Amino acid sequence: MNLSEITDGLNDKQHQSVALGDAQNALILAGAGSGKTRVLTHRIAYLVTQKNIHTDSILAVTFTNKAAAEMRERLGALLRRPIQSMWVGTFHGLAHRLLRTHYEKAGLSSGFQILDAQDQFRIVKRLMKENNIDESKFPVRKVQWFINQQKDEGIRAQDVDAGYNFFIKKSLEVFVLYEAHCRANDLIDFAELLVRSYELLKNNTELLEHYQTRFSHILVDEFQDTNTVQYKWVRQLFTGNNNVFCVGDDDQSIYGWRGAKIENITKLKTDFAPIQTIRLEQNYRSIGNILAASNALIANNSNRMGKSLWTDAGDGDLINVYEARDERNEADYVIRSIKKLIKDGSSASDCAILYRSNAQSRVFEEVLIKHNIPYIIYGGLRFFERAEIKDALGYVRLCESTTDSVAFERVVNFPTRGIGNATLEKVREFARDQHTNLFQAAIQVASSLPTRASNALNGFIQLIEQMTDDSKNLDLDEKVAYLLNHSGLMTHYANDKTDKTGSKKENLEGLISKAKRFNHDKDSEMNEVVGFISLASLDSSGDANTPIVDNVQLMTIHSAKGLEFPNVFLGGLEEDLFPSRQSKDEPHLMDEERRLCYVGMTRAMKRLTLSFAKKRSLHGQFLYAYPSRFLDEIPSKHVNKVKAKFTPQGGTSGATQANYNDDDIYNQDIEPEANGQLSVGAGVKHGKFGYGTILNFEGEGDSARIQIKFKSAGTKWLITSYANLEFV
């Protein structure tokens, strides 16, 4: 393969990035829609075909399983050969591979099990109950979050300084118990995969030197999303004699709430020096008006690395900004717009409704149902997270290794076989006292139980032993099918009256199909069954399982990152919702909110609609809102302002396009909602400040406040119960 085949179709900056010398470090600042995946894959192809770098010497890190699979597929097509053995995957996937390869040095057994978030939650909950830690004072999810937060920073329990914080002290107690439980039961959670693999290399000099020498080229995608331990993981593999090629966009760093450190991308210049920065600014996704508006918005953030997206696709349509009376009117306008687009030839799947909070989806769903428009909520339960699939894998795991106590807990009495909580508590107690697994404890305890309980527990033990023996020589898909049928799961879900669509049984059949299609790496340190189980565990931490069908797509902006749609409707652009109330007093949080808005806007290819409501019912409360500051940061020349038209009775009668001379229409007088009521837009008179218009409300009861814009005294907040207002 010659160079022209590798670089064919690349623009100048993409070409420069791909064809960098093999001894150069690089940071590719890749703007939204600038073709970063293409650059990454073509860079690897360039190294292999033009610089004779062996694929085994390349480490490529992505952030999602979907991105890793796409990279493998593209590379295979470019290089015209399979790349099974190449180290391409997510941070968690590659860390898992390291631990499977060197499990003894990592202090693990060859059959260690991976805990997903649900498994981890159950263990933390049980440990708290066993140690009399009050859940009402220390919520399990908050304690679980605390544990994972420490691990994301690479901090062990013994290194945490609780200080005088009682919550941290009690959470630290659970952290110590949890780590001891995981060590005793050979368990690894998602955060632990990274910490343990980092420590594995840090504490084994020869092993670290082996991988530093082996990986002459380290490529990392979405670098702005790395957390502390991920950054350390990459940093320790870099020696100065090998090379890094990092792709990222500081303007799309939106995961600070889950540990991502935007400063990691700026630290590259010192920690990986010398490093060349190349900006990919030509956008292949969006029209000019969308890009210009997005550039203007994000320019309000400080400490950016700096870039400005552009396109040669023309300006296209203006961005519609819709002022709704309330969230119902907002949804009506959005769905009417979608109906018109579909009537004019767009498909439903060309349209995406994005929002800041999941709670906003309900009203959109109601209106879509009313208009009989098919839709799907993106980012729901992943396939391997579904209860029936976890049940099925519980049997696969337990028959593969009876030491898997998490699997034992899940399937021991499902489908129901008469094994009660009292029996299980005795099994758990024996396992704790004798430092053994639950299956072995069950064997020991069974004979000491009353006859009925003993028979039930022995029946389960014999079932697992029989199924293990009968299925040991079967192909993977045959093994899964056998276990589903002989465990009683398939019959249970086939007869499940609550599953009116029969989807659970279909999902079990889908699991058999996935097992049949599973492509096991023959060079892997794992056997085929462990490989399949690991795939399921790791996949549940990654991408959502969303079928590609002709439905309107509903999702949070966080879920939309990496996606694109011809028509995007971004709702709820109101202060305290977007940006969120929590971000108001923290400049770095406000910057992230603005980046999130930027990400939402740059998902749109042809048409973008932004909307806000004057009042909104959210989380059971009525909120009277200001339009988001982000709307003020978009130049009016890129915007077509659309306003709900109100009838004299206060109802809505569609929307009107408004050609306002005032660039800031949002500060104009607001039409009152009703006569004789304290409502946004109502005219009032105050004894001291004179005449004014109500703008906003805040709080409840005696502490409720009201915001009024007075003609002579300016805008003021007053305590509602003491304001003594007269209606005008």
Side-chain angles (χ1 to χ4, degrees):
M1 182 180 293
N2 58 44
L3 179 60
S4 62
E5 290 180 272
I6 297 293
T7 57
D8 183 44
L10 301 179
N11 65 38
D12 290 345
K13 291 295 184 181
Q14 290 173 334
H15 186 289
Q16 182 186 353
S17 303
V18 166
L20 277 171
D22 65 329
Q24 283 183 274
N25 301 318
L27 166 60
I28 311 302
L29 273 180
S34 63
K36 70 178 180 64
T37 304
R38 192 175 191 199
V39 166
L40 271 167
T41 51
H42 283 248
R43 172 63 176 171
I44 295 172
Y46 173 82
L47 291 172
V48 173
T49 62
Q50 307 303 307
K51 297 298 181 180
N52 297 316
I53 305 297
H54 197 280
T55 54
D56 286 352
S57 297
I58 296 173
L59 175 69
V61 190
T62 67
F63 259 82
T64 67
N65 296 302
K66 178 182 175 184
E70 184 180 342
M71 185 178 290
R72 281 187 175 277
E73 186 179 338
R74 289 196 189 187
L75 275 173
L78 269 174
L79 299 175
R80 300 175 190 143
R81 58 187 169 90
I83 55 162
Q84 261 330 98
S85 64
M86 184 175 164
W87 284 59
V88 177
T90 63
F91 273 105
H92 292 94
L94 295 170
H96 175 249
R97 184 170 176 175
L98 266 175
L99 294 177
R100 288 288 179 195
T101 306
H102 308 286
Y103 61 88
E104 289 178 302
K105 284 186 170 66
L108 298 164
S109 77
S110 61
F112 72 83
Q113 297 295 330
I114 303 172
L115 294 173
D116 66 15
Q118 292 178 34
D119 293 333
Q120 185 189 40
F121 175 85
R122 286 195 183 96
I123 290 171
V124 172
K125 184 180 179 71
R126 191 183 318 124
L127 289 171
M128 289 176 63
K129 182 179 180 182
E130 290 171 356
N131 290 274
N132 300 313
I133 297 173
D134 189 351
E135 281 186 40
S136 64
K137 295 179 180 176
F138 306 96
V140 180
R141 293 216 179 275
K142 286 190 175 181
V143 175
Q144 180 186 19
W145 179 84
F146 170 82
I147 292 170
N148 291 331
Q149 184 188 41
Q150 306 314 306
K151 290 190 178 188
D152 285 344
E153 293 293 321
I155 299 171
R156 290 294 185 192
Q158 66 266 22
D159 300 321
V160 176
D161 180 10
Y164 297 99
N165 188 307
F166 190 58
F167 176 81
I168 293 179
K169 284 185 176 181
K170 191 59 69 172
S171 297
L172 187 54
E173 285 181 33
V174 182
F175 192 4
V176 172
L177 292 167
Y178 174 75
E179 284 200 321
H181 177 86
C182 288
R183 280 195 303 271
N185 292 277
D186 219 22
L187 301 173
I188 294 280
D189 58 45
F190 289 131
E192 182 72 17
L193 283 168
L194 292 168
V195 180
R196 187 71 68 97
S197 64
Y198 168 71
E199 291 173 344
L200 168 69
L201 297 178
K202 180 183 177 183
N203 299 329
N204 292 273
T205 305
E206 288 185 12
L207 195 62
L208 175 60
E209 289 175 353
H210 164 76
Y211 282 107
Q212 287 174 333
T213 304
R214 173 175 179 167
F215 295 130
S216 59
H217 289 270
I218 303 166
L219 298 92
V220 186
D221 192 12
E222 304 285 11
F223 203 87
Q224 76 281 350
D225 292 335
T226 53
N227 63 26
T228 298
V229 75
Q230 287 165 342
Y231 187 88
K232 288 180 176 179
W233 195 89
V234 174
R235 180 67 185 86
Q236 73 178 347
L237 287 171
F238 177 69
T239 63
N241 294 318
N242 52 8
N243 301 101
V244 296
F245 186 91
C246 300
V247 180
D249 182 3
D250 57 321
D251 290 335
Q252 294 190 76
S253 178
I254 59 173
Y255 295 117
W257 52 276
R258 70 181 190 196
K261 305 282 188 179
I262 189 173
E263 56 267 28
N264 285 352
I265 200 168
T266 59
K267 285 162 61 178
L268 284 168
K269 288 189 175 181
T270 53
D271 288 355
F272 295 87
I275 189 166
Q276 181 174 353
T277 301
I278 301 173
R279 289 170 171 78
L280 303 184
E281 297 174 302
Q282 183 173 0
N283 177 283
Y284 293 93
R285 175 187 299 155
S286 306
I287 58 168
N289 275 313
I290 292 172
L291 293 182
S294 302
N295 287 336
L297 173 80
I298 202 65
N300 289 276
N301 273 3
S302 56
N303 301 317
R304 294 173 61 230
M305 301 188 79
K307 66 182 178 317
S308 184
L309 300 180
W310 62 275
T311 181
D312 57 11
D315 290 340
D317 294 343
L318 294 174
I319 298 169
N320 283 330
V321 175
Y322 181 66
E323 177 191 329
R325 181 180 179 85
D326 54 29
E327 75 273 13
R328 170 65 66 168
N329 175 243
E330 177 186 47
D332 283 338
Y333 173 78
V334 169
I335 306 317
R336 282 199 309 271
S337 301
I338 289 174
K339 282 186 75 173
K340 184 177 186 305
L341 287 168
I342 293 173
K343 183 180 177 182
D344 292 344
S346 291
S347 64
S349 59
D350 286 341
C351 304
I353 301 173
L354 310 184
Y355 33 78
R356 177 67 179 85
S357 164
N358 276 311
Q360 293 171 253
S361 70
R362 178 188 55 81
V363 68
F364 288 115
E365 289 185 75
E366 289 174 359
V367 180
L368 284 162
I369 291 168
K370 174 184 171 184
H371 288 276
N372 199 30
I373 297 175
Y375 71 91
I376 191 165
I377 296 182
Y378 187 98
L381 270 183
R382 300 168 176 91
F383 180 80
F384 288 112
E385 287 179 336
R386 297 181 183 277
E388 63 273 19
I389 300 302
K390 288 172 73 67
D391 294 336
L393 289 170
Y395 280 104
V396 176
R397 287 167 56 176
L398 194 57
C399 288
E400 177 63 22
S401 172
T402 54
T403 64
D404 189 340
S405 293
V406 174
F408 178 95
E409 286 269 14
R410 185 164 195 104
V411 303
V412 63
N413 196 40
F414 191 82
T416 305
R417 50 178 58 91
I419 301 173
N421 284 332
T423 297
L424 286 176
E425 200 48 57
K426 289 180 181 178
V427 173
R428 292 184 192 115
E429 185 178 351
F430 185 91
R432 283 196 301 271
D433 292 344
Q434 300 300 316
H435 305 290
T436 188
N437 60 73
L438 292 179
F439 192 84
Q440 285 301 314
I443 293 173
Q444 298 298 319
V445 166
S447 60
S448 64
L449 297 172
T451 303
R452 188 173 177 181
S454 177
N455 289 340
L457 192 56
N458 273 320
F460 175 70
I461 293 166
Q462 290 162 15
L463 172 69
I464 297 300
E465 290 175 339
Q466 186 67 51
M467 289 197 304
T468 301
D469 191 55
D470 289 348
S471 65
K472 62 184 176 185
N473 295 319
L474 296 178
D475 290 340
L476 179 61
D477 60 312
E478 294 173 337
K479 182 190 289 279
V480 173
Y482 171 87
L483 296 178
L484 290 180
N485 285 306
H486 284 75
S487 66
L489 271 184
M490 193 66 84
T491 301
H492 171 84
Y493 282 114
N495 297 329
D496 186 356
K497 303 299 183 187
T498 65
D499 183 23
K500 299 187 186 305
T501 64
S503 61
K504 293 182 179 179
K505 181 174 178 291
E506 288 178 7
N507 285 336
L508 292 181
E509 291 166 348
L511 183 66
I512 298 170
S513 298
K514 282 183 180 288
K516 191 174 183 68
R517 295 194 305 270
F518 178 61
N519 187 13
H520 182 58
D521 182 1
K522 298 294 191 295
D523 297 326
S524 172
E525 299 74 22
M526 300 171 277
N527 66 38
E528 189 176 34
V529 177
V530 174
F532 185 65
I533 293 169
S534 298
L535 167 73
S537 300
L538 292 168
D539 189 74
S540 69
S541 71
D543 316 307
N545 181 62
T546 306
I548 301 172
V549 286
D550 192 21
N551 294 326
V552 174
Q553 312 284 308
L554 276 69
M555 66 193 78
T556 64
I557 309 171
H558 283 103
S559 296
K561 188 168 179 289
L563 304 177
E564 59 183 32
F565 306 93
N567 312 299
V568 168
F569 297 84
L570 178 52
L573 276 148
E574 298 135 33
E575 290 291 302
D576 293 342
L577 176 57
F578 195 21
S580 67
R581 178 172 296 187
Q582 294 88 339
S583 67
K584 282 197 165 182
D585 298 323
E586 300 286 346
H588 73 282
L589 294 180
M590 183 59 71
D591 284 354
E592 181 156 323
E593 289 284 297
R594 188 174 284 106
R595 291 194 294 269
L596 186 61
C597 187
Y598 174 83
V599 166
M601 291 171 65
T602 54
R603 299 312 93 195
M605 299 165 72
K606 295 179 180 177
R607 299 175 191 87
L608 173 62
T609 297
L610 309 175
S611 58
F612 66 96
K614 293 199 296 181
K615 71 173 182 178
R616 180 179 299 275
S617 176
L618 200 63
H619 305 303
Q621 287 186 312
F622 253 130
L623 305 173
Y624 291 85
Y626 278 139
S628 170
R629 68 190 67 191
F630 300 153
L631 293 171
D632 290 334
E633 294 170 359
I634 299 173
S636 59
K637 64 182 178 180
H638 303 301
V639 168
N640 176 47
K641 295 168 181 174
V642 186
K643 195 173 184 179
K645 183 178 180 181
F646 298 101
T647 66
Q649 289 77 29
T652 61
S653 60
T656 58
Q657 292 193 356
N659 298 312
Y660 296 97
N661 293 322
D662 185 350
D663 281 345
D664 188 9
I665 67 165
Y666 312 120
N667 289 330
Q668 293 187 3
D669 288 342
I670 306 170
E671 184 172 347
E673 295 188 17
N675 292 324
Q677 295 183 21
L678 279 180
S679 58
V680 171
V684 293
K685 182 182 178 183
H686 185 267
K688 179 178 180 181
F689 302 123
Y691 293 97
T693 302
I694 296 176
L695 298 180
N696 203 1
F697 292 87
E698 184 176 276
E700 296 177 350
D702 292 339
S703 62
R705 300 196 306 158
I706 184 170
Q707 187 182 39
I708 303 171
K709 183 177 181 181
F710 293 102
K711 289 186 177 180
S712 57
T715 300
K716 297 188 181 296
W717 282 97
L718 304 175
I719 301 296
T720 309
S721 55
Y722 298 113
N724 295 323
L725 299 170
E726 297 177 25
F727 287 100
V728 177

